[in-house]
Amino acid sequence: MGCHTIGSDKPGRFPDLGGIGAKAGSRRPGMSDVEYLAQSIYEPNIYIVAGFSPGMPPIHKPPTNLSYREILAVIAYLQSLGRAKDWRPANDYEK
């Protein structure tokens, strides 16, 4: 059994991440999508999705040991799942 799945109707040990970009901002009241995703990565056992057990290791520590920049890339990828987003920067650099 795997850890997370993406877009599966049969999740693994931890919740399916399909659509997490659309759900993350409303998963915990008062937290933005980025705050929720970051907390889920750095402190994965603080909030446990109903129906699942704690146990995911923090991915900034061994054995995964992702760097800060790698974690930012993971967060950006997770934000893209299930949510339409205008990825253009607020400052239009093409002008």
Side-chain angles (χ1 to χ4, degrees), residues 11-92:
R13 183 172 173 208
F14 301 116
D16 181 75
L17 296 175
I20 191 64
K23 299 172 197 167
S26 60
R27 187 65 58 116
R28 297 197 64 197
M31 292 183 90
S32 70
D33 58 339
V34 173
E35 291 168 328
Y36 172 77
L37 294 169
Q39 184 182 66
S40 296
I41 288 170
Y42 284 104
E43 302 174 285
N45 296 309
I46 294 282
Y47 174 78
I48 307 300
V49 174
F52 292 90
S53 299
M56 182 177 146
I59 66 173
H60 67 293
K61 295 181 179 179
T64 310
N65 210 29
L66 294 185
S67 71
Y68 176 73
R69 288 180 185 235
E70 290 169 323
I71 290 172
L72 290 180
V74 170
I75 290 171
Y77 172 69
L78 293 173
Q79 284 180 299
S80 76
L81 296 176
R83 163 173 114 171
K85 174 106 173 126
D86 183 355
W87 291 102
R88 290 175 293 173
N91 182 359
D92 188 357

